[in-house]
Amino acid sequence: MIGFYNYTVILTYLSLVSSIIGIMLACGLCGGEPRPTYAIICLMISGLCDMFDGKIARTKKDRTDDEKKFGIQIDSLCDAICFGVLPAVIGYSVGLDGWADVPVLALFPLCAVIRLAYFNVTEESRQKKTADVRKVYEGLPVTSVSLILPLLYSFHKDIGDCFPAVYGGAMLLIAIAFITRVKVKKPSMKTMFVFIGIGVLEFIWLMYKTKTK
């Protein structure tokens, strides 16, 4: 079979599988009705997998150039679905289902794909010049939506009928941030564990809000 199959890409593949399940849940393909809450949880799982896939890949010291390039490409291709398509599908499932919402639903994954493609090009050029690990990202990393959108969604019942508009506005701002030349420092391992802690708290808060409303 074509492709590379080793432990360096397992988390990337799991992230994609989680997002595919999330898309199915958001579309109501599992159980007959849209389940955006479960889809949001799938988004968080994808974000967790994505946080560590690169670090795990770099533990394999004998990776060939083809394996490294494959890792970069497969990671971005999966991220386009996980953090570009899935959030848009969730948006549709929570009420962004009118013609006026189409531009936002289309713009979000488009900006995510542009951000990822730009990263691939610059990262390949960078790796030809140095073997050092990247320290700064340009543009808001697409993985950030796995923390931002779940937190926003946890208040959807408090916000009420206006939530689709709020979610759409957040998507628009995030999409612009994807392709804005803002410098974002790459998080250290300590910071990543902080993010995990935040994600756990968000999950607990989301479950609490779901049960109490």
Side-chain angles (χ1 to χ4, degrees), residues 17-45 86 89-94 153:
V17 170
S18 176
S19 288
I20 294 298
I21 294 172
I23 291 171
M24 295 173 65
L25 289 167
C27 291
L29 299 179
C30 300
E33 62 181 34
R35 299 178 184 272
T37 299
Y38 294 136
I40 282 286
I41 293 173
C42 289
L43 175 63
M44 297 175 73
I45 293 173
L86 175 56
V89 175
I90 292 173
Y92 178 82
S93 72
V94 300
Y153 180 81

Side-chain angles (χ1 to χ4, degrees), residues 84-85 88-89 100-114 171 175:
V85 176
V89 175
D101 302 314
V102 172
V104 174
L105 295 177
L107 181 67
F108 189 88
L110 174 62
C111 289
V113 168
I114 292 172
M171 287 183 64

Side-chain angles (χ1 to χ4, degrees), residues 152-177:
L152 176 62
Y153 180 81
S154 69
F155 293 98
H156 74 283
K157 291 185 178 179
D158 299 293
I159 297 173
D161 294 339
C162 295
F163 181 73
V166 173
Y167 187 94
M171 287 183 64
L172 180 60
L173 292 175
I174 293 170
I176 294 172

Side-chain angles (χ1 to χ4, degrees), residues 10-79:
I10 289 177
L11 284 182
T12 302
Y13 292 159
L14 289 177
S15 177
L16 177 62
V17 170
S18 176
S19 288
I20 294 298
I21 294 172
I23 291 171
M24 295 173 65
L25 289 167
C27 291
L29 299 179
C30 300
E33 62 181 34
R35 299 178 184 272
T37 299
Y38 294 136
I40 282 286
I41 293 173
C42 289
L43 175 63
M44 297 175 73
I45 293 173
S46 293
L48 179 63
C49 292
D50 188 77
M51 286 180 67
F52 294 101
D53 58 359
K55 291 187 179 298
I56 290 177
R58 286 190 290 273
T59 62
K60 192 173 188 295
K61 302 302 183 182
D62 58 344
R63 281 194 302 165
T64 65
D65 287 340
D66 283 345
E67 285 178 319
K68 292 178 181 178
K69 292 178 180 179
F70 180 84
I72 293 173
Q73 297 297 330
I74 199 68
D75 183 65
S76 291
L77 289 170
C78 291
D79 285 355

Side-chain angles (χ1 to χ4, degrees), residues 101-167:
D101 302 314
V102 172
V104 174
L105 295 177
L107 181 67
F108 189 88
L110 174 62
C111 289
V113 168
I114 292 172
R115 163 70 175 76
L116 292 164
Y118 182 78
F119 172 83
N120 283 5
V121 172
T122 56
E123 181 64 13
E124 186 171 344
S125 298
R126 189 191 68 83
Q127 288 189 4
K128 291 178 180 179
K129 299 175 183 178
T130 177
D132 294 340
V133 177
R134 177 184 285 268
K135 294 180 173 59
V136 177
Y137 292 124
E138 193 170 15
L140 182 69
V142 297
T143 316
S144 62
V145 301
S146 64
L147 286 178
I148 298 172
L149 294 182
L151 179 60
L152 176 62
Y153 180 81
S154 69
F155 293 98
H156 74 283
K157 291 185 178 179
D158 299 293
I159 297 173
D161 294 339
C162 295
F163 181 73
V166 173
Y167 187 94

